[in-house]
Amino acid sequence: MIPTSIPSPPRGVWHLGPLPIRAYALAIILGVVVAVWLGDRRWRARGGCPGTVADVATWAVPFGLVGGRLYHVVTSWELYRDRPVEALFVWRGGLGIWGAVALGALGAWIACRRRRVNTAAFADAIAPGIAFAQAIGRWGNWFNQELYGKPTTLPWGLEIDPLHRPTATPQVATYHPTFLYESVWNVGVGLLVLWADRRFRLGGGRAFALYAAAYTAGRFWIEGLRVDPAHVVLGLRLNQWVSLVVFLAAVGYLVARRGAGREAVVEDAAAPVQAAR
């Protein structure tokens, strides 16, 4: 029999004695592990030192988590106005990608400065890993039954329990699985960056810019399907405007830096590698 919808998990947390094991947290942790593993392989291939990516991640990941939560709380403060302490409940979901990228980038920049690492080269090395990490992290939303899209009768519609349905459509059982759309899109973005970087030997931050442009193109469309509360400006959700701005900035950077090849030295402690001509 062909399924007519995608079921949602009945629970997103398990208890190991008194210790809660949350699927949302596991998805984020697995994404970070994949990003660090792939980033380390790519960094060493560019002439960097083993362990540099993991060291930078110890700065970037905490900064990114704080930034992601701050962005979510600031842009959705109405959810916490009456219960402000719940703004600290990260395990319930609610991490804004733009805050995570902004503060995560700050943490990475600080770590790169401390290790005397070429920041643009480092960004290029970790770009596809970030896309794959986002693809994995989105499955945490599936377990939490959150951030889904509009009602749909398509065979891949996502079943949402009555407790998690929008108040406007409590009788509708299936919605667009935007978590799945974005996860698949992010896998495609990661593969695109890997291919383009190998084919054109991107340098000077261009691989990261390609990731940013490709990701935001898909995010703009997917964001328009979502029904969770959001600030709307001139008919577009706030995250759609941010996606549009980032997309234009990334494309502009790609054009401005066209022809930039690989860096000859990416880390002071590493041996030089041959630069692309």
Side-chain angles (χ1 to χ4, degrees):
M1 296 180 62
I2 300 176
T4 57
S5 61
I6 301 173
S8 287
R11 59 193 304 182
V13 58
W14 304 268
H15 287 84
L16 186 61
L19 178 66
I21 307 298
R22 303 182 185 277
Y24 187 83
L26 291 177
I28 293 175
I29 292 170
L30 180 58
V32 170
V33 170
V34 169
V36 171
W37 171 79
L38 180 59
D40 181 70
R41 285 174 58 91
R42 287 172 51 80
W43 183 245
R44 287 186 285 113
R46 286 173 178 253
C49 295
T52 294
V53 173
D55 287 347
V56 174
T58 61
W59 284 79
V61 172
F63 271 66
L65 290 174
V66 171
R69 189 59 177 178
L70 283 175
Y71 182 90
H72 167 73
V73 171
V74 169
T75 58
S76 305
W77 179 245
E78 63 279 0
L79 301 177
Y80 307 99
R81 183 184 299 112
D82 298 328
R83 298 181 299 274
V85 69
E86 293 187 6
L88 302 176
F89 296 172
V90 180
W91 54 88
R92 293 185 179 178
L95 293 175
I97 182 61
W98 307 120
V101 169
L103 274 194
L106 175 61
W109 179 81
I110 293 172
C112 286
R113 292 273 294 182
R114 288 167 58 89
R115 289 188 62 101
R116 303 176 72 180
V117 165
N118 185 302
T119 307
F122 185 85
D124 285 339
I126 65 171
I130 293 176
F132 293 136
Q134 289 175 272
I136 296 170
R138 276 303 175 197
W139 287 83
N141 301 134
W142 180 48
F143 280 91
N144 282 356
Q145 296 195 46
E146 62 183 358
L147 306 186
Y148 46 82
K150 300 174 182 178
T152 182
T153 57
L154 292 170
W156 56 83
L158 178 65
E159 299 174 12
I160 299 296
D161 295 340
L163 180 64
H164 298 92
R165 294 174 190 170
T167 55
T169 55
Q171 75 286 357
V172 178
T174 56
Y175 299 79
H176 279 285
T178 49
F179 86 92
L180 181 59
Y181 297 164
E182 187 167 339
S183 182
V184 172
W185 182 269
N186 286 337
V187 170
V189 171
L191 294 175
L192 170 66
V193 175
L194 285 174
W195 170 81
D197 192 35
R198 179 176 299 178
R199 174 66 177 81
F200 302 107
R201 293 185 59 81
L202 302 176
R206 291 196 299 153
F208 189 87
L210 177 60
Y211 147 75
Y215 169 71
T216 52
R219 179 62 186 268
F220 182 90
W221 163 65
I222 294 167
E223 187 72 25
L225 292 175
R226 284 170 40 171
V227 294
D228 52 297
H231 297 288
V232 177
V233 180
L234 299 178
L236 295 178
R237 292 162 64 96
L238 176 60
N239 282 337
Q240 286 182 293
W241 282 111
V242 177
S243 294
L244 182 59
V245 170
V246 175
F247 174 81
L248 293 175
V251 171
Y253 186 89
L254 283 169
V255 173
R257 295 283 290 168
R258 61 185 180 278
R262 296 278 180 87
E263 294 79 3
V265 178
V266 298
E267 187 172 359
D268 280 0
V273 296
Q274 184 178 0
R277 294 181 179 180

